[in-house]
Each structure stands twice: as structure tokens, then as C-alpha cells.
Amino acid sequence: MITAAVSPADVPLSVNQILTVGGALVAVAVYVLYKVGHYLVKVVEALATAAVVFIALWFAVKGLFLAIVWAVRHWRTTTTVTVVSVWCWWWGWLSLLLALAVLAAGLGVWRVASLPSFDRWAGRHLRSWWQRWLVYAPRMPRWLRSVGLTVPDRGGATVIQVNPLRRTATAPRERPRRDQLPRVLSVRSGPSWDEVKVRLVPGQTPEDFDQAARALAVARGVNRCQVRELSANVVSIDYQRRNLLDAVVTAPDLDAMAGLSGDAMDLDRVLSGATEYGTPWRQSIRGSHTLIGGATGAGKGCETREQLAWGWLAGSVL
């Protein structure tokens, strides 16, 4: 019997051998993928950590810069908040309330005793701070948008809305960015006028604000508003909150003064009218000249007996 030699390549693999080889290949592939995935996870984690650190550092630097700019620009408010915070930290809020009550009482007594000096040294500063943060800072942007004193984007696309009932085309709502809206720089508040200093944005002129003065007055709810150009890109919007000079000042009763001697008359403090604070306006008529100007019916002429007597008195001294 003759047996032929068979080559190993011609011998078919058994099922167990195929499974063993396939399993080994799969195990190698899974191990390689695991290593590659593990390496990629480390790379992604490193990139994510670096991105988080970079973004946090960027926001921290930006926040610090904005805080410094805000603190320098509004140093009065920053100083007040800092003092209040330190006071509460060291002595507590109860002592702060007591100190504020004493301060408010002192300011009230000062205001009653001498309104002009109070308004000059304290009242106008407190009123300016109050008017800026509670009136003009939150409301001025809306007023400027309502009267068209902004520079919005003009290239907004039209949005068409389609439903089973109708089809409408609407334009997107234009909201100006920070660089398109005039910024309030400062507020000075007097007894009857508020002066709001505003920085213009590119594309605006002081004449634009001058033409919109009446609309600004209506938006503020006052009767008068005037615009003054301070520089090429800064204007002052002046609002008259109230008119303290619209009432007629009654002259003193001359019948009660008929028996007074000349020495009893203080010619250095002659009552001449009222000031914008609502207090008597007195002036000296000794060795001086007075020029009076006013509209028709303002009281320039000597139309009554009291006015005639006061005019004769002033003329006799002059």
C-alpha cells in the first residue's frame, strides 16, 4: 500500500484552530484599540483641562480689568460700598444703621438751618448720585432708543412665518449694541435742573440731540429740555424738573414800615425776590447799579404802590 506525502499547507484547519486564531487576533485588536483609546482620553482630558484653565484665567483677567475700570470711573460709589462693607465686617450692621440714622438727622438739621449751604456742600452730590443710579442710568437707554438717538444695524434679514392660517413677514427686533448707544458719563443735579453728560457714538452729531430735545423732555416727563455741546462728541442734556421762579414774590407791607426810621432800614440786604432754592433773595443797593431784565409781565415795571415805593427807595440811594 502506497501513501502519498501531503503538504501542511494542503491540510485544512480545524474549527478549534480557526477559533483560536480568530480569538487571538480579536484580542490583539481590542488591546490595541484600548491603548489608543486610553491615550486619546488622556489627550482630550489634557486639552479640556488646558481649555478650562485658559478660559477661567481669561475671564478672571477680564473681570479684574472691568472691576478696576468701574471702580475708577465710579469712585464715589465704590468708596461708599467699600466703607460700608468694612464697617459691617468690623462693627456689625446695627452700628452702621445707628451711624446712618445720626448722619441723616444731622443732614436734615443742616438742610432746615441753611438750605443754600447744605445744597452746595452735600445736597447736590446726594441728589446727583440718586438721580444717576435710580433715574438716568436705567431709563436713559430706553429714552434714547424711543427718540431714535441710537445707531442700530440696518441689515437685518426678514423672517417669514408660515402657518396653516396665514403667512406673515416680520423683521427682527433691532437692539443696539453697547458701541451703538450713547453712554451716560455723569449727572449733576441742581435744585431745579439736571445736567446729564452723554458721550456720542460714531454716526451722531450734537445737532441730532438738539432736534430731539422736545422728544427727550416728553420722555423724561418734564416741560423743558435743552442740549449743550461740550465737545465734538460730548453733549449735556439739561432737564428742568421744576420751575422755582414761576411764583410772584409779594413785596413787604409798606404801611407797617411807615413809622420806621432810616437807620432801621438795612440797605445792604434789601429783599428783591426769590432764589432758585425758594429762599428770599436779598441784595445791596448801597452805591451800586442794578439792571433788571425779564419778559413782559415779569414785574420789571413799577405797577403797584409797593413796587413804586421800592423803586423810589432804590433810586434815592443810587
Side-chain angles (χ1 to χ4, degrees):
M1 183 176 181
I2 299 173
T3 303
V6 180
S7 174
D10 297 335
V11 178
L13 298 177
S14 63
V15 176
N16 292 333
Q17 291 176 338
I18 293 175
L19 294 177
T20 301
V21 174
L25 294 176
V26 171
V28 171
V30 170
Y31 179 77
V32 172
L33 292 177
Y34 168 76
K35 288 296 184 180
V36 173
H38 186 68
Y39 177 76
L40 292 177
V41 168
K42 289 185 176 181
V43 172
V44 172
E45 289 179 352
L47 293 176
T49 303
V52 170
V53 172
F54 176 77
I55 294 175
L57 183 62
W58 164 256
F59 278 107
V61 173
K62 184 178 180 179
L64 180 61
F65 175 76
L66 293 178
I68 294 175
V69 171
W70 196 91
V72 173
R73 182 178 299 167
H74 310 290
W75 61 272
R76 296 184 183 89
T77 303
T78 304
T79 304
T80 303
V81 172
T82 303
V83 171
V84 170
S85 302
V86 172
W87 188 298
C88 291
W89 175 265
W90 285 103
W91 295 291
W93 60 271
L94 187 59
S95 62
L96 176 63
L97 293 180
L98 181 60
L100 291 178
V102 173
L103 179 61
L107 292 176
V109 172
W110 184 12
R111 186 179 188 276
V112 173
S114 178
L115 181 59
S117 63
F118 169 80
D119 193 82
R120 178 181 179 184
W121 297 103
R124 63 188 181 93
H125 300 291
L126 296 175
R127 187 168 50 248
S128 299
W129 180 84
W130 179 276
Q131 292 286 344
R132 171 163 187 167
W133 294 113
L134 295 184
V135 177
Y136 293 107
R139 300 180 183 179
M140 181 62 81
R142 184 172 69 252
W143 295 343
L144 295 178
R145 287 197 297 268
S146 63
V147 301
L149 291 176
T150 58
V151 186
D153 294 329
R154 303 297 182 182
T158 302
V159 179
I160 299 178
Q161 299 178 353
V162 180
N163 55 53
L165 300 179
R166 62 179 181 177
R167 180 179 62 185
T168 59
T170 59
R173 183 179 180 180
E174 295 181 353
R175 187 178 182 85
R177 301 188 303 269
R178 183 181 297 272
D179 59 344
Q180 297 173 318
L181 185 66
R183 184 168 62 89
V184 177
L185 299 179
S186 63
V187 175
R188 295 181 58 187
S189 183
S192 56
W193 284 85
D194 291 339
E195 301 176 6
V196 185
K197 186 184 297 185
V198 176
R199 183 183 300 278
L200 280 62
V201 296
Q204 293 181 331
T205 61
E207 288 75 15
D208 297 335
F209 284 76
D210 193 20
Q211 294 176 0
R214 183 56 183 167
L216 289 172
V218 174
R220 174 68 171 88
V222 297
N223 293 326
R224 292 186 60 189
C225 174
Q226 62 183 17
V227 178
R228 295 180 292 115
E229 181 180 356
L230 303 180
S231 64
N233 60 342
V234 176
V235 298
S236 177
I237 306 175
D238 301 338
Y239 294 101
Q240 186 185 37
R241 301 191 316 274
R242 55 178 180 169
N243 185 10
L244 300 181
L245 304 177
D246 58 350
V248 178
V249 179
T250 304
D253 187 7
L254 295 181
D255 295 333
M257 302 173 60
L260 296 178
S261 61
D263 297 337
M265 183 70 64
D266 187 4
L267 300 181
D268 294 327
R269 289 174 51 82
V270 176
L271 179 63
S272 303
T275 68
E276 61 179 348
Y277 302 100
T279 57
W281 171 45
R282 301 179 183 273
Q283 63 173 343
S284 174
I285 61 174
R286 188 191 304 273
S288 63
H289 297 274
T290 303
L291 176 63
I292 300 177
T296 302
K300 303 184 299 299
C302 299
E303 302 174 356
T304 64
R305 183 167 59 91
E306 290 81 2
Q307 292 174 343
L308 180 61
W310 280 103
W312 173 83
L313 175 61
S316 63
V317 176
L318 294 177

